Amino acid sequence: MRLSSFFVLGVLLGVTTLCAEDVVRFRGRNSQGTYNEPDLLKEWPGNGLSPKWINQDLGAGWSSVIKVKNRLYLNCLDSNNRKMESIACLDLNGKRIWQTITGKTWSRSYAASRSTPTYVKGEDKLVVQTGSGEVCCLSAKDGKLLWKKNIASTYHGKPGRWGFSESLIVKDGKVFTTVCGNNISVIALNLKDGSVAWKAPSNGDKCAYVTPVIYKNQLIEFTSKYVFAVDIKSGRIMWKTNFSKESGGRWKGINCNTPLLKDNHLFVTAGYNQGGVMYEILPNNQGAKILWKTSDLDPHHGGVVLLNGHIYGSNWINNRSGNWLNVDWKTGKTIYDEAWDKLGKGSIITADDMLYIYEEKRGTLALVKPGKEFKVVSQFRIKYGSREHWSHPVISDGILYVRHGNALGAFDIRKK
């Protein structure tokens, strides 16, 4: 993330909030779903927000958008070949600048693009993984494909029934990708040319659909059964814990939510009544200690956010239904567990001390005030686009970006 003049000014003035932050990866900084955006509307018009623009010709997918300076990037099916994925680059008016085919999509179940591209600071490059397991590196300027590595065929990767869905992490010139092959769990590829920097040994598990987080020198991974840490420099597995047993829920191995991380506390959760576990990451590679568990909060694939000492998200009742919850970060106590009218579960992000929720059944987008009660301040339906409302919204420079399948809309949510 670039150190902007806004940050310097904020430090000089004693202000901690960042402004106009670029979004370079899935769900923002460390994939936590928190966007440092000040001066946003605390209530929307009664008839909802009107989009600045809508691009309805992107190709199907559930990838989120990322924004770097004056460009937007997202992953989508190619308009001419629905078996192939591509990266589209748009300007801030939604007009296509370039679009490049990256590789084969996942064709078995729910064929469409999955992973959100990642922008690499200082290199002006993008990396992305296709649903079939091809790791690609492109020039962000013109979309030129710089290199490609098929981890599925080369290393016998074991994806779940819905393919590879990880949004890639880049650090110290390395691209990390979760393989779950017979002898390998994670591979680090050199950003320069795609060559192998290191291979982490197998953890005896299959892939999930989770983007890792970084804690100090550790890459925190969440696969089908295990939460484990890999040393970023060497690929050595530092510790491992069995979430499937420790959660106490009904294990399904269909894990889709990036963990929440604050200091040395890690909250891990998954849907299908698998519940959630709060871990303390112990020093000196001693592993992770369980602090508390919850059977209430188990998001399907909409993620969770941390705001003012509370975890917010939806739970899984069935594949089409779920309530919205507030759980205390320190104790795991459920503050509320409420239905949203006749709507259900979905994705969640936070900015400027408000919650933004996007339910997947009808595509209703809402602004929610955090607190001891589930209080929807404003809401309206996203009527453009097609297929499932599964993409996570994004906020950058006061603009809310909402993708629905083949379409992306931009909404100005800045105070006037």
Side-chain angles (χ1 to χ4, degrees):
M1 201 67 68
R2 63 186 177 87
L3 181 65
S4 69
S5 59
F6 292 103
F7 177 82
V8 176
L9 179 61
V11 171
L12 292 175
L13 295 177
V15 178
T16 58
T17 304
L18 296 179
C19 307
E21 190 172 60
D22 284 342
V23 178
V24 301
R25 59 183 279 191
F26 176 61
R27 287 175 60 83
R29 286 190 175 194
N30 217 8
S31 298
Q32 299 296 284
T34 298
Y35 297 91
N36 294 299
E37 295 283 326
D39 300 321
L40 303 180
L41 293 172
K42 300 298 184 182
E43 186 176 356
W44 298 337
N47 58 351
L49 297 170
S50 297
K52 292 181 59 179
W53 53 261
I54 301 172
N55 185 323
Q56 302 193 72
D57 189 30
L58 293 174
W62 306 293
S63 156
S64 292
V65 66
I66 62 171
K67 174 189 167 290
V68 182
K69 297 180 181 178
N70 61 350
R71 290 192 172 189
L72 304 169
Y73 303 94
L74 69 166
N75 189 11
C76 47
L77 289 188
D78 184 68
S79 56
N80 296 317
N81 186 348
R82 295 184 179 181
K83 295 182 179 180
M84 304 296 286
E85 292 182 21
S86 62
I87 298 296
C89 173
L90 312 177
D91 66 21
L92 296 188
N93 293 312
K95 305 299 183 183
R96 183 183 287 106
I97 298 174
W98 54 258
Q99 189 160 348
T100 300
I101 292 177
T102 51
K104 294 181 180 179
T105 192
W106 184 254
S107 58
R108 298 182 199 173
S109 180
Y110 289 93
S113 66
R114 288 149 163 71
S115 303
T116 297
T118 300
Y119 178 84
V120 185
K121 175 189 172 184
E123 298 284 344
D124 203 28
K125 294 178 180 178
L126 299 165
V127 292
V128 72
Q129 184 178 54
T130 70
S132 63
E134 296 166 286
V135 176
C136 306
C137 180
L138 301 87
S139 164
K141 180 180 179 180
D142 57 17
K144 179 181 178 181
L145 185 63
L146 302 177
W147 56 262
K148 180 162 63 172
K149 192 92 168 183
N150 193 321
I151 63 165
S153 61
T154 305
Y155 302 108
H156 309 289
K158 298 176 183 177
R161 63 183 296 186
W162 295 288
F164 291 95
S165 302
E166 171 187 24
S167 296
L168 301 173
I169 303 300
V170 181
K171 187 174 175 61
D172 298 337
K174 300 181 183 68
V175 183
F176 307 107
T177 177
T178 310
V179 182
C180 292
N182 293 332
N183 302 308
I184 301 168
S185 59
V186 181
I187 291 179
L189 303 175
N190 288 306
L191 177 66
K192 181 179 179 180
D193 55 11
S195 60
V196 175
W198 51 250
K199 303 174 186 176
S202 172
N203 69 339
D205 204 3
K206 294 182 179 180
C207 288
Y209 313 92
V210 178
T211 294
V213 295
I214 291 177
Y215 170 71
K216 296 184 177 181
N217 64 328
Q218 302 178 17
L219 185 72
I220 307 294
E221 295 272 349
F222 185 22
T223 51
S224 177
K225 295 181 181 178
Y226 300 109
V227 179
F228 64 104
V230 180
D231 182 86
I232 286 175
K233 293 183 179 181
S234 67
R236 177 172 61 92
I237 293 184
M238 304 172 75
W239 55 264
K240 180 174 75 172
T241 190
N242 193 327
F243 171 83
S244 66
K245 291 183 178 179
E246 293 162 347
S247 64
R250 184 180 64 185
W251 178 70
K252 296 284 283 189
I254 307 173
N255 308 326
C256 308
N257 300 297
T258 295
L260 281 181
L261 176 68
K262 180 177 174 55
D263 301 325
N264 66 331
H265 288 185
L266 183 77
F267 179 67
V268 182
T269 184
Y272 302 95
N273 292 330
Q274 294 181 94
V277 179
M278 177 67 79
Y279 296 98
E280 178 186 359
I281 302 174
L282 300 174
N284 303 319
N285 305 328
Q286 296 180 71
K289 180 177 73 175
I290 297 173
L291 297 180
W292 54 259
K293 302 178 184 180
T294 175
S295 58
D296 296 335
L297 182 57
D298 62 332
H300 195 182
H301 42 63
V304 285
V305 296
L306 172 62
L307 180 60
N308 301 329
H310 295 266
I311 306 170
Y312 294 91
S314 61
N315 67 0
W316 181 90
I317 294 176
N318 55 55
N319 279 352
R320 292 185 57 81
S321 179
N323 291 341
W324 291 85
L325 291 88
N326 172 356
V327 173
D328 185 86
W329 174 264
K330 291 184 178 180
T331 66
K333 177 183 177 181
T334 298
I335 308 302
Y336 66 68
D337 183 344
E338 300 289 341
W340 178 14
D341 298 330
K342 295 183 180 180
L343 305 173
K345 58 188 174 63
S347 57
I348 185 169
I349 61 172
T350 180
D352 199 18
D353 285 323
M354 297 293 283
L355 302 169
Y356 296 75
I357 63 176
Y358 182 35
E359 63 87 24
E360 63 188 47
K361 183 188 294 185
R362 299 179 184 175
T364 304
L365 183 71
L367 184 65
V368 175
K369 186 176 180 179
K372 295 182 179 180
E373 299 178 349
F374 179 59
K375 184 177 181 180
V376 175
V377 177
S378 305
Q379 68 181 60
F380 69 98
R381 286 184 62 190
I382 298 297
K383 297 182 179 180
Y384 56 79
S386 60
R387 295 185 63 173
E388 299 85 2
H389 297 268
W390 285 346
S391 182
H392 294 219
V394 169
I395 301 174
S396 181
D397 203 9
I399 306 300
L400 172 65
Y401 297 96
V402 182
R403 179 180 189 173
H404 178 207
N406 66 323
L408 177 68
F411 302 85
D412 191 337
I413 56 172
R414 294 170 290 189
K415 291 179 179 177
K416 308 304 180 185

